[in-house]
Amino acid sequence: MEEHRLTKWNFEGNNGYDKINKASKINIRTVLQMLMDNLNQHENRPVVPLGHGDPSVFASFRTCSVAEDAIVDAVRSAKYNCYASHVGILPARRAVAEYLSSDLPYTLSEDDVYLTIGCAQAIHVILTVLANRPSANILLPRPGFPLYESYAASCNLEYRHYDLLPDRGWEVDLEAVEALSDENTVAIVIINPGNPCGSVFTSQHLEKIAETARKLRILVIADEVYDHLTFGSTPFVPMGVFGSIVPVVTLGAISKRWLVPGWRLGWLVTTDPNGILKISGLVKNIVEYLNITVDPPTFIQGALPQIINKTKDDFFSKTINTLREAADTCYNKIREIPCITCPNKPEGSMFVMMALVMMWTFASSLLKRNLL
C-alpha cells in the first residue's frame, strides 16, 4: 500500500493558478460555499440565504400544480424514458418558440430553439462557441453575474467589463462599450431584468443597445432568465424585439418564472430574422457543440408544453406580488441603515444592489464610542 502511494504517477492535480482554478475562484458558488463552510455549527440562529437566486427554498415561492402535474403525466406516459435529440425534442422546442414569439414582432420557429440544462448551460454553450475565434473577446456588465466570467475563463475567452450606471437606473454605459470594443470583440452580454441590480431596461434603452451593437458589428447575448418578473413601472421588453437591427441570442429557462431551478430546463434561442447567425456559421457551431454535450432530462422536456401552455396568469401574479412586497420591505429597511445605500429601488428579478458608505461623521462617532 505504501509503495503505491510513493510511486510517481503520470497524472496529478494542478494546484497552481490554472484556468479551472481561476474560473472556480470567481464563481458565486465558491464564495457561498466558503461562507457556509465557515458558519458556526453550534449557532442556533437560522441562516437566511441572500446570495443565491433560488426562490424554491422559501415556502412562499412554490411552483404551480399545473407544472407538477405535467411532470407526473410525462413520467407516467412512458414516452420520455428515451434519449432526446441533442437540440431538444420537437414539441418542447415548439412550445418555447411560441412562448417567446408572443412578445416579438415576428414569429420564431422550433429551429431557432435549442434546449439546455438550465440557463447555465446555455451560457456555457454560447461562450464556448464564440471562443473558437482566435483572440476573441466579449463585453460583460459590471455589476453582473459571475458565471459569465467563470465560463469565459474556463474556455480562454477574454472578457472586458463595461459599467452599469447607478445614477441612470443601472443603464448600460454605451460610450464605454464603444471605447472597449475592437476588431476582436464578438458580443456584448446584457442581463435584463438585471442580476444583481434588480433593474429593468426600457424599450428605448434596449434599442440604443441594439444600434450600438450593430455599429460595432457584434451580436447581443440577452440573458432573460428573469423574463416577466417585473414589479415596478418599467415593463419587460425582450431584446429580441430589436432582432431586425442586430442578431440576438436569447438565453432563458423555466427556473425563475416557474420557481423550479432544480428542474434544469433552459434554452438558447436565435432571435435573428435576418439570418445573420446562420450565414456567419455560428448556428452550425452551436449545433455541433450541442452534439458533444449532455441534454436536459427528456421527461422534463416532455412536460414543457403543458407547463408553458396551461399555467394560469394568477400564478404569475401571485409571484409578482410577493416579489414586490419583498422588494419594498428590503428597500425601506436598507434606507434605515446609516452605512448602506441603495441607489435604485429594484424593479425586477430577485435582487437588489447596495453600496457600503462609511461616512466620516458616522465612523467618527463609532470611534469615539470605541465601537469601531
Side-chain angles (χ1 to χ4, degrees):
M1 201 67 175
E2 185 65 23
E3 179 183 350
H4 289 313
R5 281 197 290 265
L6 295 175
T7 300
K8 176 65 176 177
W9 298 90
N10 291 340
F11 57 87
E12 63 179 353
N14 188 338
N15 294 320
Y17 200 69
D18 63 356
K19 65 179 183 179
I20 296 177
N21 183 278
K22 178 183 177 182
S24 177
K25 285 183 180 297
I26 55 179
N27 190 304
I28 193 169
R29 286 187 176 183
T30 302
V31 176
L32 289 173
Q33 190 60 53
M34 179 187 67
L35 293 173
M36 297 302 293
D37 290 343
N38 284 278
L39 289 176
N40 185 347
Q41 301 299 321
H42 303 291
E43 177 62 68
N44 294 323
R45 290 182 299 175
V47 177
V48 180
L50 295 177
H52 203 189
D54 185 353
S56 66
V57 300
F58 301 98
S60 54
F61 291 109
R62 178 168 177 173
T63 194
C64 56
S65 59
V66 167
E68 295 171 344
D69 292 343
I71 295 294
V72 173
D73 291 345
V75 171
R76 287 180 172 171
S77 73
K79 295 178 180 178
Y80 306 107
N81 296 332
C82 55
Y83 291 120
S85 163
H86 62 291
V87 296
I89 65 174
L90 182 59
R93 287 160 46 220
R94 183 175 293 136
V96 173
E98 293 172 353
Y99 169 66
L100 297 180
S101 294
S102 64
D103 294 321
L104 299 176
Y106 53 90
T107 301
L108 297 170
S109 81
E110 56 270 17
D111 293 332
D112 298 314
V113 178
Y114 308 90
L115 299 185
T116 58
I117 303 176
C119 193
Q121 190 191 28
I123 296 171
H124 193 195
V125 169
I126 189 60
L127 294 193
T128 302
V129 168
L130 291 174
N132 281 335
R133 173 179 168 175
S135 303
N137 68 74
I138 59 169
L139 308 181
L140 300 179
R142 182 174 54 196
F145 182 42
L147 194 62
Y148 282 95
E149 284 85 350
S150 295
Y151 280 150
S154 72
C155 59
N156 291 324
L157 175 62
E158 180 189 351
Y159 54 87
R160 302 173 180 179
H161 288 116
Y162 66 85
D163 288 330
L164 300 179
L165 305 173
D167 57 338
R168 297 185 191 172
W170 299 111
E171 286 187 345
V172 174
D173 186 344
L174 294 174
E175 291 183 2
V177 167
E178 292 197 39
L180 285 168
S181 179
D182 61 22
E183 68 277 4
N184 292 318
T185 305
V186 293
I188 179 173
V189 172
I190 66 166
I191 305 174
N192 183 49
N195 174 6
C197 296
S199 54
V200 182
F201 294 148
T202 64
S203 177
Q204 294 81 1
H205 186 58
L206 290 171
E207 186 172 10
K208 290 179 181 179
I209 293 172
E211 290 169 348
T212 300
R214 179 177 182 176
K215 177 182 177 181
L216 300 173
R217 303 190 308 278
I218 62 177
L219 68 90
V220 176
I221 300 171
D223 185 328
E224 296 176 355
V225 73
Y226 289 98
D227 68 329
H228 295 286
L229 289 180
T230 59
F231 39 84
S233 59
T234 307
F236 168 71
V237 176
M239 189 69 208
V241 166
F242 306 102
S244 59
I245 297 176
V246 65
V248 177
V249 172
T250 300
L251 312 181
I254 61 172
S255 305
K256 311 300 184 181
R257 198 180 186 199
W258 274 269
L259 311 175
V260 287
W263 290 9
R264 312 309 297 143
L265 197 289
W267 51 76
L268 182 157
V269 178
T270 54
T271 44
D272 176 32
N274 297 318
I276 297 171
L277 297 175
K278 286 185 178 179
I279 295 170
S280 69
L282 193 68
V283 167
K284 179 174 179 288
N285 292 156
I286 290 171
V287 174
E288 289 173 340
Y289 188 68
L290 287 171
N291 260 322
I292 59 171
T293 63
V294 292
D295 314 315
T298 311
F299 72 91
I300 305 288
Q301 296 185 47
L304 191 58
Q306 188 173 328
I307 293 173
I308 289 178
N309 296 327
K310 293 188 177 182
T311 300
K312 304 297 184 183
D313 287 341
D314 59 352
F315 165 73
F316 298 130
S317 297
K318 180 182 177 183
T319 301
I320 293 298
N321 290 336
T322 304
L323 286 173
R324 181 185 295 112
E325 181 180 354
D328 288 345
T329 301
C330 189
Y331 179 73
N332 291 332
K333 291 296 183 182
I334 289 170
R335 295 178 67 185
E336 297 175 4
I337 304 173
C339 60
I340 299 180
T341 183
C342 183
N344 295 278
K345 187 176 182 179
E347 291 195 329
S349 77
M350 298 175 179
F351 298 92
V352 57
M353 176 57 66
M354 301 173 292
L356 293 176
V357 181
M358 184 60 75
M359 298 174 290
W360 281 112
T361 54
F362 180 63
S364 177
S365 67
L366 293 179
L367 286 169
K368 290 178 181 177
R369 294 158 57 190
N370 293 321
L371 296 176
L372 188 65

